[in-house]
C-alpha cells in the first residue's frame, strides 16, 4: 500500500513539472497580542479596560492578508492592498509594518538561492538583496488537513529578525542591589550622551517554528521568508504569529509576472537591519527627553 502511494505521488510530481505551472496562495496572519504584552512584562498602571483596548488595536494591526504567487522556481509575496479607513494614518501603518519586518514585495528564487524585497522606511526606499536563509528542517510523520490538502509537520530553529519588535522582550528581573546600581549608573550619565536603545530590552535570538507543508503541491516555497520543504508550506507558527493558508488557486488563466523588484537603494539584509536599528536609537534619544539632540540624522 505504501509503495502504491509513493508511485502515485511520483506520477503527480511528473505531471506537475511537465506543464507550465503557476499558483496563488492566500495567507491570513494572526498574532497573539497577549504573548507580546507578556514579553514586555505588561503594565501595572493600566486598567483591565485599557489593556483590552490596547489588545484590540494590536489585533487589528497584526491581522493581515498576504498573497503568494509562485511558479516552479520563484515566488512573490506581499500584503493584500486595502484602502486606509477614514482617519487612519497610512504612513504610520507602513512604518509599523517595516518595524515588524514586513512591508514591500518579497521575491524568492529557490533555484538561485536568493531573495529581494523592496521596503519603504522613513520615506526612503530600499531594495534588500541577499542569499536565502538555510533552514535545518526536522521532518516528522504527523499529518493534518488544511482545507482539502493533507499536510506534514516540520520544525526548525531559526534566527529571529532584529528589526521586528515582536522578537524582543523585557530583560529578566534583577535583585534590589543590582537595580540600585543600575539606577545610579543611569543618573550619572550626562544628558547629552548617547544611550543604548536596547538597554531595557533584549532580543529573543532564536525561535522554534512549526511548518505544515503539502507534498501534493511539490514546490519548496512558502509564505514570508520560509521555504525549503518538499511541498508548499500552508501554515507557519513561530509561537507568536501564525500564517495560515485560506485559499489556493492553481494554473489560473490569469498569469502573474513573477520577477524581482528593482526600486530602491540596494543594500544587504545586515546593512538594512543596521539602518533600522540606528534610526530607532535616534528616535529613542529624541523622544526620551534628552537635551542637545537635534532632529534625527538622515540615512
Amino acid at each position: 500500500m505504501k509503495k502504491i502511494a509513493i508511485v502515485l505521488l511520483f506520477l503527480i510530481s511528473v505531471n506537475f513539472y511537465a506543464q507550465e505551472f503557476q499558483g496563488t496562495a492566500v495567507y491570513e496572519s494572526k498574532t497573539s497580542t497577549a504573548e507580546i504584552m507578556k514579553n514586555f512584562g505588561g503594565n501595572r498602571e493600566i486598567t483591565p479596560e485599557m489593556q483590552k483596548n490596547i489588545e484590540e488595536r494590536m489585533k487589528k494591526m497584526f491581522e493581515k492578508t498576504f498573497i503568494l504567487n509562485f511558479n516552479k522556481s520563484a515566488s512573490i509575496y506581499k500584503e493584500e492592498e486595502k484602502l486606509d479607513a477614514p482617519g487612519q494614518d497610512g504612513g504610520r501603518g507602513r512604518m509599523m509594518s517595516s518595524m515588524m519586518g514586513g512591508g514591500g514585495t518579497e521575491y524568492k528564487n529557490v533555484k538561485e538561492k536568493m531573495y529581494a524585497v523592496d521596503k519603504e522606511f522613513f520615506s526612503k526606499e530600499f531594495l534588500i538583496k541577499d542569499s536565502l536563509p538555510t533552514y535545518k528542517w526536522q521532518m516528522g510523520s504527523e499529518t493534518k488537513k488544511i482545507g482539502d490538502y493533507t499536510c506534514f509537520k516540520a520544525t526548525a530553529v531559526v534566527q529571529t529578525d532584529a528589526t521586528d519588535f515582536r522578537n524582543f522582550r523585557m530583560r529578566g528581573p534583577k535583585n534590589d542591589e543590582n537595580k540600585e546600581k543600575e539606577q545610579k549608573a543611569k543618573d550619572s550619565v550626562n544628558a547629552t550622551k548617547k544611550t543604548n536603545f536596547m538597554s531595557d530590552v533584549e532580543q529573543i535570538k532564536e525561535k522554534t517554528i512549526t511548518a505544515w507543508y503539502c507534498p501534493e503541491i511539490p514546490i519548496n516555497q512558502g509564505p514570508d521568508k520560509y521555504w525549503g520543504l518538499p511541498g508548499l508550506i500552508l501554515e507557519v507558527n513561530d509561537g507568536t504569529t501564525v500564517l495560515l493558508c485560506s485559499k489556493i488557486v492553481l494554473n489560473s488563466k490569469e498569469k502573474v509576472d513573477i520577477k524581482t523588484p528593482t526600486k530602491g537603494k540596494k543594500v544587504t539584509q545586515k546593512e538594512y537591519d543596521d539602518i533600522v536599528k540606528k534610526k530607532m536609537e535616534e528616535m529613542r534619544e529624541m523622544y526620551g527627553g534628552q537635551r542637545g539632540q537635534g532632529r534625527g540624522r538622515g540615512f
Side-chain angles (χ1 to χ4, degrees):
M1 194 69 180
K2 187 179 291 186
K3 289 183 178 179
I4 295 174
I6 293 172
V7 170
L8 287 174
L9 186 59
F10 174 76
L11 291 174
I12 291 172
S13 299
V14 170
N15 182 61
F16 174 87
Y17 281 105
Q19 59 181 321
E20 188 65 32
F21 176 80
Q22 190 174 108
T24 298
V26 180
Y27 294 84
E28 307 296 335
S29 170
K30 292 187 183 297
T31 296
S32 172
T33 56
E35 190 67 26
I36 292 176
M37 297 190 76
K38 178 183 173 183
N39 284 341
F40 286 92
N43 189 329
R44 297 178 183 177
E45 296 180 2
I46 65 174
T47 65
E49 184 179 355
M50 290 169 64
Q51 179 162 334
K52 183 179 178 181
N53 289 336
I54 291 172
E55 289 187 3
E56 284 297 319
R57 287 187 179 185
M58 290 176 69
K59 183 179 178 181
K60 290 179 181 178
M61 182 172 66
F62 290 130
E63 289 188 351
K64 296 181 179 182
T65 301
F66 296 90
I67 310 296
L68 178 74
N69 289 293
F70 54 87
N71 56 33
K72 297 171 189 176
S73 61
S75 68
I76 52 175
Y77 179 78
K78 66 185 298 183
E79 184 181 344
E80 183 181 52
E81 294 183 2
K82 295 179 181 178
L83 292 175
D84 293 330
Q88 185 175 336
D89 189 342
R92 181 179 298 176
R94 286 189 294 272
M95 186 183 77
M96 287 301 298
S97 182
S98 291
M99 290 171 63
M100 292 186 293
T105 299
E106 182 169 351
Y107 171 86
K108 293 197 300 287
N109 190 310
V110 298
K111 186 176 181 180
E112 298 177 3
K113 302 291 191 296
M114 61 79 67
Y115 70 93
V117 55
D118 55 359
K119 289 190 178 185
E120 182 181 329
F121 185 66
F122 277 85
S123 302
K124 179 81 172 181
E125 291 186 337
F126 293 94
L127 177 61
I128 305 166
K129 299 188 77 171
D130 219 318
S131 300
L132 281 171
T134 301
Y135 299 108
K136 295 181 179 179
W137 294 108
Q138 300 293 319
M139 293 182 285
S141 58
E142 186 177 346
T143 65
K144 76 171 182 177
K145 280 278 191 178
I146 297 179
D148 295 328
Y149 295 94
T150 299
C151 297
F152 289 79
K153 182 180 180 180
T155 60
V157 176
V158 303
Q159 300 293 317
T160 62
D161 184 349
T163 65
D164 187 339
F165 80 89
R166 288 172 294 184
N167 296 324
F168 288 82
R169 63 188 173 196
M170 297 300 295
R171 294 188 183 277
K174 302 179 178 66
N175 58 42
D176 292 339
E177 183 180 349
N178 285 340
K179 284 182 180 179
E180 185 177 349
K181 288 181 179 178
E182 187 179 87
Q183 188 59 49
K184 287 181 179 179
K186 285 182 179 180
D187 293 341
S188 67
V189 173
N190 188 288
T192 61
K193 187 175 180 179
K194 184 177 180 179
T195 58
N196 185 358
F197 174 60
M198 305 306 295
S199 60
D200 297 324
V201 298
E202 62 182 356
Q203 182 184 352
I204 302 168
K205 297 292 186 181
E206 293 181 337
K207 282 186 176 181
T208 298
I209 60 170
T210 300
W212 295 89
Y213 66 96
C214 175
E216 296 172 58
I217 309 174
I219 62 167
N220 53 359
Q221 290 280 354
D224 199 6
K225 55 186 174 293
Y226 302 110
W227 72 289
L229 285 165
L232 179 65
I233 299 172
L234 299 191
E235 181 180 333
V236 178
N237 186 338
D238 69 1
T240 302
T241 298
V242 177
L243 289 167
L244 177 62
C245 183
S246 59
K247 180 180 179 182
I248 295 177
V249 178
L250 300 177
N251 291 321
S252 170
K253 292 181 180 179
E254 297 181 7
K255 300 297 181 182
V256 176
D257 194 9
I258 299 176
K259 61 182 182 180
T260 181
T262 57
K263 293 174 62 178
K265 178 183 177 182
K266 291 183 181 179
V267 292
T268 65
Q269 186 67 59
K270 184 181 184 306
E271 288 171 338
Y272 178 78
D273 291 349
D274 289 343
I275 288 168
V276 173
K277 285 187 282 187
K278 180 182 177 182
K279 200 65 180 178
M280 292 301 99
E281 287 172 0
E282 290 179 10
M283 289 181 65
R284 168 65 177 259
E285 292 172 17
M286 288 173 62
Y287 296 107
Q290 293 205 16
R291 300 174 183 175
Q293 300 291 333
R295 289 190 171 187
R297 296 179 292 277
F299 296 101

